[in-house]
Amino acid sequence: MGTFIRSRGLIVLFLGLFMRSLCGTAQSLDSLENLLSGNSLSSEEYLTVCDDLSWGYLDHDFGKSRQYALLGIERAKSDKNPLMEARLYRNLGVAYYMNSQMDTALAYLNRSLEKAVHLNDEQLEAAVYSAIGNLHNVSGDYKEALTYYLKALPIFERYNNKDRIRSLLGNIATLYFSLINLNQAEKYYMELEKASEEANDLYNIGRAYEGFSKIALKRNDFRSSLEYSEKAAEIFHKGGYKSSEAIALQGIAMVYYLDFKDYAKAKEYALKALKLTQEIGYGADIVGSLNILSNIYFNEKDYVNCLNSAREAIATDTTDANVTTNLYANMVRAGIFLNNHQETLEYFDKYRRLIDIRSSTEFERAMAELEKKYQTEKKELRIRNLEKEKRLHFIIYLVSTFGLFLFLLVLYLRTKTIKANEELNRQKIIQLEQEKQLIAAQAVMSGETAERTRLARDLHDGLGGMLSAVKLNLFDMKQNVIIEEEDVARFNKVMEMLDASIRELRRVAHNMMPETLSRYGLKSALNDFCNNFRNVKFHYFGTEQRLEKKIETVIHRAATELINNALKHSGAETVNVQLVCGPDLISLNVQDDGKGFDTAAETSGAGLDNIRTRVAAVNGSMNIHSAPGEGTEVDVEIKIL
């Protein structure tokens, strides 16, 4: 019970809180205050001084930190300087966090984050992510804390911000320590130590030592814990980091009273820590020192001071559920020895309510230990009967809850099975509809191809031959008949119209079913088609091979339609057509440098939908990549079975 320690001191608050040197802090902050009181500062200089002052006072004067942050925010709003406004909101959120006003802290940090995102200031955004992560870490919401840390870390890595990366390493290590995952915590503290030694970052070296001390204490390696705490305290004292020094002193006190049973020495260090935390004025740190003093007094059997220290701590701050649980436990145990029965029951009820809120294994073990000690130490029948009644209620509650859980589980599984069957049936229906549409599309396409081939042959061989015969007969008539001079022009006009009709007939027949496609295959047909246009380039890759007739037709129709679209609608100067024929896949790519279009917008034409339908009918796919002003690229892929 006495081993609960505050973990807050292990966290570097808000990424760089202690990175600004505090050597000579009082003098430098006084100088800045004097500078601020003058009238010679520009707006930018005034805001910078407010930023430095609000940040500089974070570790030891909440009132001044808040005061200068609010002054800066008011000036930044007046001068329309959103960046400094965002930075000062960050400082204000940190100040409230340091003063254990978590809801207010989160509100200001979220306001800073919103402005940082709007300004696209990634480094400030990452700093606020880390700050919010610290808040959740201290509040015990470790999953949410890790989420924010992992948002911040890649941004700092991208900017190679080694100071901030070291801070995050320490924060993540602290998180794993809070989860009692000592191996992972030790791993990250070792990374922090290595990185800090390379940068000669004494503060973070101290953080690593403090982390090693806490881990050693959890492992009951008291000698190592004491050694690391003393090293950390020395570093923090020299650097003027009062809050961190107080946490290190608390660690030393813990070792003296847990292992050495030297309660006088333990009390000496705990009182030093309390004095430092009271000088700083942050409630959460004060509670950490009072918690250790309460534990020491209990072990000294000084139950009056044990109870008084716990009461003072509860009145000061109850943010840390871990510490609050230990304080209530001390109040219950001291109350038993002091025969304060009614008050003890009240503390025990508060303890139980706090335990009910928490679900981790560590806290469940703590509750079981307290209940066991409470039952062995209770002396009055009233307490015994009350405990039995509570136990009976708990059993009834547990049985009822278990029964309700089983009912809900059966109901959930039944509902899930019904939904799964419905979804399976729906998928089958969709699959059948798709197969039906595919079969219909294939049938239509096969019929269309056959009809096109027949019409093309009839036009070319039938009507085309007849027109050619008419032309020859007219030409022979001209040789044997004397035509008046005024009729010669009319005769020549008729011959020209006949030639144009023959060409148009051949063009229509070719478009319906190109003769080159039927005789020589897809490569030759597309090459001939592209050669008709000066700005269309055709490229072929792969082995030349004849494909199934309907696949060749689909690819040819798709290519001609896409080329015509590019030439007519896009205003393209160049159209590149690429055909790749592999052993099991044929790929068509048509790319233009035209005006492009929004692929999500509705279009009035049905050309692209027709192509997509034809391609799908032969087990192919079509993808369109385009944006206004960026040209258009269409990929068609068909598997060759």
Side-chain angles (χ1 to χ4, degrees):
M1 188 71 65
T3 60
F4 287 111
I5 311 170
R6 289 200 46 86
S7 61
R8 177 177 174 275
L10 299 178
I11 301 174
V12 169
L13 297 175
F14 303 94
L15 294 171
L17 175 57
F18 300 103
M19 293 303 103
R20 302 180 183 189
S21 174
L22 295 180
C23 297
T25 298
Q27 181 180 355
S28 61
L29 292 177
D30 288 342
S31 300
L32 287 174
E33 286 183 306
N34 293 333
L35 188 63
L36 194 65
S37 62
N39 297 319
S40 60
L41 297 178
S42 66
S43 174
E44 192 68 31
E45 290 170 340
Y46 182 91
L47 291 172
T48 300
V49 172
C50 285
D51 182 28
D52 289 339
L53 284 170
S54 64
W55 194 265
Y57 277 118
L58 277 174
D59 191 35
H60 55 283
D61 194 326
F62 165 72
K64 286 193 174 183
S65 179
R66 176 180 177 275
Q67 172 192 346
Y68 289 115
L70 290 173
L71 277 175
I73 290 169
E74 183 180 356
R75 180 67 174 267
K77 287 181 178 179
S78 173
D79 295 348
K80 294 181 173 51
N81 190 331
L83 177 58
M84 289 305 298
E85 186 180 351
R87 288 175 60 88
L88 288 160
Y89 271 128
R90 186 272 311 268
N91 295 0
L92 190 57
V94 176
Y96 274 103
Y97 166 84
M98 294 286 287
N99 205 41
S100 300
Q101 299 181 49
M102 299 305 182
D103 291 340
T104 306
L106 185 59
Y108 283 122
L109 288 172
N110 281 330
R111 195 174 300 180
S112 174
L113 178 61
E114 180 182 352
K115 292 183 178 295
V117 172
H118 180 73
L119 294 168
N120 198 28
D121 189 330
E122 286 193 321
Q123 296 211 64
L124 178 58
E125 178 185 346
V128 179
Y129 281 145
S130 183
I132 297 175
N134 289 338
L135 188 150
H136 286 297
N137 195 345
V138 170
S139 300
D141 190 353
Y142 303 124
K143 180 179 179 182
E144 196 71 10
L146 187 59
T147 299
Y148 279 99
Y149 287 157
L150 294 180
K151 285 182 180 180
L153 187 58
I155 298 177
F156 291 141
E157 289 177 341
R158 187 159 62 249
Y159 286 93
N160 195 30
N161 194 329
K162 294 183 178 180
D163 288 344
R164 301 295 178 100
I165 291 171
R166 289 196 300 274
S167 296
L168 269 184
L169 287 174
N171 295 351
I172 295 172
T174 302
L175 186 149
Y176 279 116
F177 177 81
S178 300
L179 291 170
I180 321 298
N181 189 339
L182 302 185
N183 291 334
Q184 279 293 94
E186 187 174 37
K187 171 189 170 185
Y188 279 99
Y189 278 127
M190 290 174 68
E191 290 185 21
L192 174 63
E193 180 188 24
K194 180 180 178 183
S196 301
E197 286 178 346
E198 291 174 355
N200 196 27
D201 180 355
L202 295 180
Y203 176 76
N204 273 310
I205 293 174
R207 285 189 71 205
Y209 288 159
E210 182 63 18
F212 294 145
S213 170
K214 303 300 181 185
I215 292 171
L217 189 64
K218 281 288 184 182
R219 291 171 173 168
N220 294 325
D221 184 357
F222 298 104
R223 299 289 178 176
S224 296
S225 178
L226 179 61
E227 179 182 344
Y228 281 120
S229 287
E230 288 175 340
K231 288 181 179 179
E234 182 181 358
I235 289 175
F236 295 142
H237 180 73
K238 288 181 179 178
Y241 310 115
K242 292 184 179 180
S243 179
S244 299
E245 181 185 356
I247 302 301
L249 292 174
Q250 290 173 9
I252 296 173
M254 291 290 292
V255 174
Y256 273 111
Y257 96 79
L258 283 177
D259 183 44
F260 302 153
K261 307 301 180 185
D262 187 345
Y263 301 126
K265 197 75 170 176
K267 195 187 308 181
E268 175 188 341
Y269 282 100
L271 289 171
K272 285 182 180 179
L274 179 60
K275 181 181 178 182
L276 280 174
T277 55
Q278 288 174 336
E279 288 177 4
I280 298 168
Y282 293 123
D285 288 341
I286 294 171
V287 169
S289 300
L290 288 171
N291 179 44
I292 293 176
L293 279 171
S294 177
N295 291 337
I296 294 170
Y297 285 132
F298 182 81
N299 282 275
E300 287 184 322
K301 304 188 185 307
D302 185 353
Y303 303 118
V304 173
N305 279 323
C306 172
L307 187 59
N308 290 337
S309 297
R311 284 173 177 166
E312 183 181 351
I314 291 292
T316 302
D317 185 85
T318 57
T319 303
D320 192 312
N322 188 21
V323 173
T324 304
T325 301
N326 186 59
L327 290 169
Y328 279 130
N330 284 350
M331 294 166 84
V332 171
R333 298 190 301 170
I336 290 173
F337 286 104
L338 294 172
N339 293 319
N340 297 335
H341 303 142
Q342 187 60 40
E343 189 178 16
T344 300
L345 284 174
E346 293 176 5
Y347 292 142
F348 182 72
D349 288 339
K350 291 180 180 179
Y351 175 84
R352 289 295 299 270
R353 282 196 296 271
L354 187 60
I355 288 297
D356 288 340
I357 297 172
R358 304 165 66 189
S359 59
S360 70
T361 304
E362 178 188 3
F363 300 129
E364 290 175 3
R365 287 199 302 266
M367 182 185 69
E369 179 184 355
L370 180 61
E371 288 179 342
K372 180 179 178 181
K373 290 185 177 181
Y374 178 76
Q375 289 188 26
T376 58
E377 295 172 354
K378 65 185 177 180
K379 297 180 180 180
E380 296 186 4
L381 181 60
R382 182 184 174 197
I383 298 177
R384 185 181 298 109
N385 292 336
L386 181 61
E387 183 62 27
K388 289 181 179 179
E389 183 181 345
K390 287 185 177 181
R391 185 177 299 173
L392 179 60
H393 288 166
F394 177 75
I395 292 173
I396 294 172
Y397 170 77
L398 185 63
V399 171
S400 301
T401 303
F402 184 68
L404 179 61
F405 172 75
L406 286 179
F407 172 75
L408 293 176
L409 180 62
V410 171
L411 184 62
Y412 168 75
L413 292 175
R414 184 173 181 275
T415 304
K416 186 177 180 181
T417 302
I418 292 173
K419 288 184 178 180
N421 290 335
E422 290 177 351
E423 179 65 18
L424 183 61
N425 291 334
R426 190 178 70 83
Q427 293 294 336
K428 287 183 178 179
I429 291 172
I430 293 173
Q431 184 179 357
L432 291 173
E433 287 290 340
Q434 290 175 343
E435 291 176 355
K436 179 181 176 182
Q437 292 175 3
L438 183 61
I439 292 171
Q442 289 175 340
V444 169
M445 193 172 68
S446 298
E448 181 185 359
T449 301
E451 187 64 14
R452 282 177 171 273
T453 302
R454 184 186 68 78
L455 287 174
R457 185 172 58 251
D458 290 349
L459 287 173
H460 186 275
D461 297 342
L463 186 57
M466 292 174 62
L467 289 174
S468 296
V470 169
K471 177 181 177 181
L472 290 174
N473 287 331
L474 287 175
F475 186 79
D476 289 342
M477 288 174 60
K478 180 181 178 183
Q479 303 299 324
N480 299 322
V481 176
I482 298 174
I483 302 175
E484 297 295 331
E485 184 175 348
E486 60 271 16
D487 293 330
V488 171
R490 293 173 59 193
F491 183 85
N492 290 337
K493 183 66 175 178
V494 168
M495 292 296 287
E496 289 175 1
M497 291 174 63
L498 187 58
D499 286 338
S501 298
I502 293 171
R503 287 194 301 272
E504 181 64 18
L505 177 65
R506 287 176 178 173
R507 187 188 67 78
V508 171
H510 180 78
N511 285 341
M512 294 186 73
M513 185 55 66
E515 185 178 359
T516 307
L517 179 63
S518 301
R519 290 188 177 184
Y520 304 110
L522 191 57
K523 176 185 176 183
S524 298
L526 284 181
N527 190 48
D528 287 349
F529 183 80
C530 293
N531 286 335
N532 292 326
F533 309 97
R534 64 174 179 79
N535 55 344
V536 178
K537 309 299 181 183
F538 177 70
H539 310 279
Y540 183 86
F541 302 95
T543 57
E544 292 191 35
Q545 56 178 317
R546 292 305 302 267
L547 306 173
E548 188 177 349
K549 186 175 182 180
K550 65 180 179 180
I551 294 179
E552 291 188 337
T553 303
V554 167
I555 291 291
H556 187 271
R557 291 293 305 281
T560 56
E561 180 72 18
L562 292 172
I563 293 169
N564 285 328
N565 283 348
L567 295 175
K568 290 180 181 179
H569 305 301
S570 73
E573 295 184 1
T574 304
V575 179
N576 284 309
V577 181
Q578 177 178 286
L579 184 66
V580 180
C581 190
D584 55 0
L585 182 72
I586 185 167
S587 173
L588 171 69
N589 178 275
V590 179
Q591 183 181 28
D592 67 67
D593 57 0
K595 61 185 180 182
F597 64 96
D598 184 359
T599 57
E602 294 186 3
T603 56
S604 57
L608 292 176
D609 288 338
N610 290 339
I611 296 173
R612 195 185 301 277
T613 301
R614 293 175 183 274
V615 171
V618 291
N619 298 319
S621 62
M622 183 178 82
N623 294 302
I624 303 172
H625 310 283
S626 184
E630 297 183 7
T632 303
E633 181 177 355
V634 181
D635 294 311
V636 174
E637 291 186 350
I638 298 176
K639 293 182 179 179
I640 305 173
L641 303 178

